[in-house]
Amino acid sequence: MPRTTQGVPGWLTRGAVVAGVAALVAGTAACSSSGSGGSTKTKGVTITVALAADAPPKAALAAFTQQTGIKVKWVNIDWDSLQTKISAAATAKTYFADATDVDWSRVGQLGKLGWFYPMDKYLNTKSMTADLPQLASFTTGGKVIGIPYDASFMVTTVNTDMFAKAGITTMPTTLDEYTNDLKQVQAKGISKHPLNIPFTAAEGLSTYWYETTGALGGTILDQHGKPQFKDPSSPGYKAAEWMVNAMKTGLVPPGNINVSDSQGEQTLMAKGVVATTFSDYSGLVGSLYNVPSSSSVVNKVKYIPTPGATGTAANLSNPDGIGIPKQAKYPNAAAKFIEWFTSVQQQVDFSGANGAAKAWAAYALPSHLSAVQEMARKGNLVGGDQLSAMLAKSKPVFPGGAPAWYPQFSNSVYTHLHGAAVGSESVSQAINAIASTATGLAG
Amino acid sequence: MPRSAIDDATGAVPVASAPKRRRAGGNSRPRRRSRFETVLPYLLVAPLAAFIIGLALVPAGFTIVQSFFKVNPLDPPTRFTGFGNFTKLFNNDAVVGAFSNTAYYVVVGVALSTVLGIMFAMVLRRPFRGRSLLIAVLILPWALPGVVEGILWTGMFDTNNGLINSVMSTLHLMNGNAVLLGQNRLLTITLIELVQVWQITPLSALLILAALQVVPDELYEAAEIDGCGAWAAFWRITLPLARPGIAIAMVQATIATLNVFDQPYVLNGAATTGASVTEQTYFISFQNLDFGQGYALSLLITVVTLLISLVVVRVVYRRVDL
């Protein structure tokens, strides 16, 4: 007869199981190793470029190799993992790439930590300023730590077809007009919930609030990182109130409580479920809304100048940049790549203005103003005239640069704004909690 | 006692009575081990031992030590803080809330994956047509990365276009616009955990199935002759003999649920309604760059995992000799 037994062998087996568990769990802990100095070689070397995007066309990279003798190994890592990798590699002082992403929101943090080489060391960044309006977003402590390669800024997109059906032919120029138009679209039954706000607790919610605050003429933090939104009459407070009220009054679909920015673009705006997104991303009309395979609103969505407090407002930038981590093996070669990668000619090619073969599918909008203008002139950019005008006037989210503690602050922003939208806290409580986080972090 | 028995049992020969070495056969005693043969087992085990020591024990030791230090590149230098990291964690509402969410994930996840694992194992125990195919299909959710599952289920739970709402609406159970995730905390955590259960149950089922495969049919036949019904056979034969497999399945489910990250992060973002402790570890370590607190939180998760696993093994595990 089989039997179940307990005793020393069983204890030993259990011990082994528990030890195994310990090993499994402990295996997640971090490792560290020493870093290495970079080589100044720029010929016959292979550099690793890690970005959260598919590789550019092979022919383009091959042409770069032919010009410079530098081979490029492209690594595509999703954005979150890439940020983790940057932190882990820099902390452990290990090499993982020669050129990688510098996100605008981490510029303060990365600048303070000194994890990236100042680009001024390799490129004449001063001469770039006029044609790269978003370079300011990558400047911290007077040093440029990344070069914007893709101009991203927040814009208002409107399904003009749905607006027209509701009898709206003149686009709103103030937030009040915009809100009234939304109510009209809703009242006429054109869209049950016409406004897209991605209320899931993620970065997209924070940037939406920044853009709305900017549109109302305000700023989130001052030069010293002190919160500027605590007063109920401040633009930041009003922006939060407007967003949460839009949710509570049904202008925003109830399901948006758990919709991210990209989800909202793809499943609501591109499908004609909502009529507008107040803080959308530049370039989406051409890359998503006008693509028949992924959109049912082709040629119906337009960029409009962002409605503000008393008239149209400037757009806030959230560009992608590329820089050289301190553990790079070939920083000089990486700098040559960045110079080529962010050049006007290359950006025009990537945008598809010079033919599909040279186009880079992952590319939305050039960061060089002259490249955007050239594309607009050639008629290769949907909404090109509006976009180049908006890009020229775009402003950084934080005039003094993103603070070093930005990620922690943003986490507080999206967690509490989400909480206010869910109803687990009031707008006032959410704002106080966010302000308290900022005050605590600013010191 | 005959010499051969001593040799067989110990693998060694007592020095006092060791036979003198002879040139050739004519003696059935085993020859002395060469130095190489003595070292060989250690050589074979060495890579695995080095792997475990280097990738598990050393980092674990490092984590334990560093959890008592302030390690933050934004606030150098690294300095001793005693239990400072731990007290800060216990005063952090987000961390405390995440622990409460995770406790729910563990209770629901371990219980449900074990019950479902037993059920699947029972179904798959006997051979039938298409069994191999069914096992292959069963394994699929386990083989998929958590992020992919999160994205897949995001579409299913979507309020505007999701399958769940559509089905509920068709069955006239809801109006078709129910907000499933993010609004109600209990519902959110339950649904997120159901997605994880969908992922971890296949492994539980296979572990329990492996344990059941060694139970001889004669036992059931004998029990049937003694008048034992199917239900009694399950309780008195199947379940006791499956206990080693169930214990291992429960331990792996405990580890998985305590470390859940992908599903809540993809399905519900960083919202407090579903955030887990590993999400908080990620935020603290890689967003705030407060590695000291990150180490401390990792250590807490390790200790909790060990304690729960120990309890599960003590209560559920029984050695089975067939």
Side-chain angles (χ1 to χ4, degrees):
Chain A
M1 184 74 186
R3 66 189 194 279
T4 58
T5 60
Q6 273 186 295
V8 176
W11 179 86
L12 280 175
T13 314
R14 282 195 297 276
V17 170
V18 172
V21 169
L24 269 174
V25 173
T28 57
C31 297
S32 71
S33 66
S34 61
S36 61
S39 160
T40 53
K41 275 179 78 176
T42 56
K43 294 271 182 202
V45 298
T46 301
I47 60 165
T48 300
V49 177
L51 287 178
D54 288 326
K58 277 184 184 169
L61 293 178
F64 170 71
T65 304
Q66 204 173 10
Q67 274 173 38
T68 60
I70 301 165
K71 283 186 183 167
V72 177
K73 183 185 165 199
W74 189 275
V75 181
N76 175 9
I77 311 175
D78 72 89
W79 192 89
D80 283 326
S81 302
L82 186 56
Q83 301 310 316
T84 305
K85 216 163 180 60
I86 291 167
S87 300
T91 309
K93 295 186 170 43
T94 52
Y95 165 81
F96 91 101
D98 297 282
T100 191
D101 179 79
V102 177
D103 189 73
W104 71 271
S105 66
R106 292 193 73 189
V107 167
Q109 193 182 63
L110 297 174
K112 184 172 179 184
L113 292 164
W115 284 354
F116 280 75
Y117 282 112
M119 290 308 297
D120 326 64
K121 189 178 165 184
Y122 303 100
L123 305 173
N124 184 359
T125 54
K126 283 196 172 65
S127 67
M128 295 175 163
T129 312
D131 202 35
L132 282 173
Q134 295 169 322
L135 200 64
S137 295
F138 295 92
T139 308
T140 175
K143 287 177 182 163
V144 175
I145 60 162
I147 305 293
Y149 67 88
D150 185 359
S152 179
F153 52 91
M154 291 163 262
V155 291
T156 302
T157 50
V158 167
N159 185 322
T160 48
D161 192 49
M162 291 170 94
F163 266 49
K165 280 180 186 164
I168 305 159
T169 47
T170 308
M171 289 299 122
T173 56
T174 67
L175 197 62
D176 287 338
E177 286 173 17
Y178 181 73
T179 311
N180 288 335
D181 288 349
L182 292 175
K183 287 176 183 166
Q184 195 170 323
V185 171
Q186 190 179 40
K188 298 262 180 175
I190 309 300
S191 170
K192 207 170 166 188
H193 309 286
L195 176 62
N196 173 35
I197 301 180
F199 266 111
T200 201
E203 184 67 27
L205 178 56
S206 300
T207 48
Y208 207 107
W209 180 53
Y210 306 151
E211 171 72 356
T212 313
T213 302
L216 289 174
T219 184
I220 301 293
L221 305 170
D222 70 5
Q223 299 275 351
H224 307 289
K226 299 285 179 199
Q228 302 296 299
F229 48 84
K230 234 180 139 179
D231 193 299
S233 64
S234 66
Y237 194 105
K238 284 181 179 169
E241 214 165 33
W242 178 79
M243 287 166 65
V244 173
N245 278 344
M247 176 54 124
K248 288 187 173 162
T249 55
L251 287 177
V252 177
N256 272 38
I257 207 70
N258 210 33
V259 161
S260 67
D261 47 6
S262 57
Q263 250 180 295
E265 294 152 9
Q266 289 159 18
T267 65
L268 300 175
M269 197 68 193
K271 300 297 174 192
V273 176
V274 294
T276 175
T277 302
F278 185 77
S279 177
D280 212 338
Y281 296 100
S282 53
L284 277 183
V285 172
S287 63
L288 175 66
Y289 304 140
N290 277 3
V291 178
S293 59
S294 53
S295 169
S296 56
V297 292
V298 175
N299 295 326
K300 290 176 182 170
V301 177
K302 304 272 185 282
Y303 300 111
I304 65 162
T306 301
T310 53
T312 56
N315 304 77
L316 298 185
S317 305
N318 56 352
D320 296 302
I322 182 166
I324 308 169
K326 286 271 174 77
Q327 274 70 41
K329 281 182 185 166
Y330 304 108
N332 292 58
K336 276 191 175 296
F337 173 79
I338 292 172
E339 189 174 15
W340 168 84
F341 187 62
T342 60
S343 66
V344 174
Q345 186 54 49
Q346 207 47 54
Q347 292 196 336
V348 172
D349 283 353
F350 284 158
S351 303
N354 293 326
K358 292 181 176 177
W360 178 23
Y363 201 66
L365 195 65
S367 54
H368 281 276
L369 192 56
S370 55
V372 177
Q373 285 164 343
E374 186 182 334
M375 288 177 67
R377 219 175 17 250
K378 285 183 175 176
N380 288 320
L381 180 64
V382 180
D385 290 336
Q386 294 111 305
L387 285 176
S388 55
M390 287 176 192
L391 177 61
K393 288 180 188 167
S394 67
K395 297 192 303 188
V397 173
F398 301 106
W405 36 264
Y406 174 77
Q408 208 168 340
F409 172 71
S410 178
N411 186 301
S412 178
V413 170
Y414 56 68
T415 306
H416 289 289
L417 287 183
H418 172 87
V422 168
S424 60
E425 55 190 307
S426 66
V427 171
S428 164
Q429 285 170 325
I431 286 290
N432 282 333
I434 298 166
S436 163
T437 303
T439 307
L441 291 167
Chain B
M1 187 177 278
R3 289 278 329 181
S4 59
I6 294 170
D7 291 350
D8 289 344
T10 63
V13 180
V15 175
S17 58
K20 288 206 165 94
R21 203 177 270 256
R22 291 179 187 182
R23 283 188 176 218
N27 193 329
S28 60
R29 286 174 191 151
R31 64 184 174 82
R32 215 182 249 276
R33 284 183 178 186
S34 69
R35 181 181 286 262
F36 175 73
E37 284 175 319
T38 310
V39 174
L40 183 63
Y42 297 101
L43 284 176
L44 293 173
V45 170
L48 183 64
F51 185 81
I52 292 173
I53 291 168
L55 291 180
L57 299 182
V58 170
F62 184 78
T63 301
I64 292 168
V65 172
Q66 293 289 77
S67 63
F68 296 99
F69 284 82
K70 173 92 181 165
V71 188
N72 188 339
L74 288 167
D75 184 14
T78 296
R79 51 197 184 273
F80 183 72
T81 57
F83 286 94
N85 288 328
F86 295 92
T87 49
K88 277 182 189 161
L89 288 174
F90 287 119
N91 287 319
N92 182 334
D93 291 342
V95 172
V96 173
F99 262 111
S100 132
N101 291 345
T102 306
Y104 189 83
Y105 287 134
V106 172
V107 171
V108 174
V110 173
L112 214 53
S113 68
T114 306
V115 171
L116 289 171
I118 293 170
M119 284 168 61
F120 288 138
M122 289 298 292
V123 171
L124 294 167
R125 201 173 146 254
R126 306 264 177 218
F128 58 86
R129 201 181 170 86
R131 179 174 177 260
S132 305
L133 182 71
L134 194 61
I135 290 176
V137 172
L138 183 73
I139 291 170
L140 270 180
W142 178 57
L144 285 173
V147 174
V148 174
E149 292 179 338
I151 293 168
L152 183 72
W153 282 88
T154 298
M156 307 265 268
F157 290 138
D158 188 273
T159 302
N160 306 302
N161 315 297
L163 180 71
I164 309 277
N165 262 332
S166 172
V167 170
M168 292 293 207
S169 172
T170 307
L171 297 174
H172 298 283
L173 291 172
M174 283 193 294
N175 64 5
N177 288 313
V179 180
L180 298 169
L181 291 171
Q183 188 75 57
N184 179 293
R185 187 178 182 188
L186 198 61
L187 180 64
T188 302
I189 303 178
T190 304
L191 292 177
I192 290 171
E193 190 44 38
L194 284 179
V195 175
Q196 199 193 19
V197 165
W198 182 68
Q199 183 190 34
I200 63 176
T201 297
L203 182 58
S204 298
L206 291 181
L207 289 167
I208 297 165
L209 180 63
L212 291 180
Q213 294 291 294
V214 296
V215 179
D217 285 344
E218 290 82 359
L219 281 177
Y220 292 100
E221 288 162 14
E224 198 178 342
I225 292 166
D226 288 344
C228 179
W231 189 240
F234 172 76
W235 278 107
R236 290 166 191 272
I237 300 172
T238 307
L239 219 44
L241 296 180
R243 283 175 78 156
I246 293 172
I248 296 168
M250 288 178 77
V251 168
Q252 72 88 17
T254 303
I255 296 171
T257 49
L258 260 168
N259 290 283
V260 65
F261 180 91
D262 296 335
Q263 289 86 353
Y265 191 62
V266 175
L267 287 162
N268 199 43
T272 51
T273 41
S276 66
V277 277
T278 41
E279 268 187 275
Q280 291 303 328
T281 311
Y282 169 73
F283 294 141
I284 289 169
S285 302
F286 292 105
Q287 279 195 349
N288 309 348
L289 300 180
D290 194 335
F291 293 111
Q293 278 195 51
Y295 288 130
L297 192 50
S298 299
L299 184 61
L300 284 175
I301 298 170
T302 307
V303 170
V304 171
T305 307
L306 280 173
L307 288 175
I308 296 177
S309 300
L310 195 63
V311 170
V312 168
V313 171
R314 277 207 169 275
V315 172
V316 180
Y317 184 83
R318 293 291 182 275
R319 188 176 154 188
V320 173
D321 291 326
L322 289 169

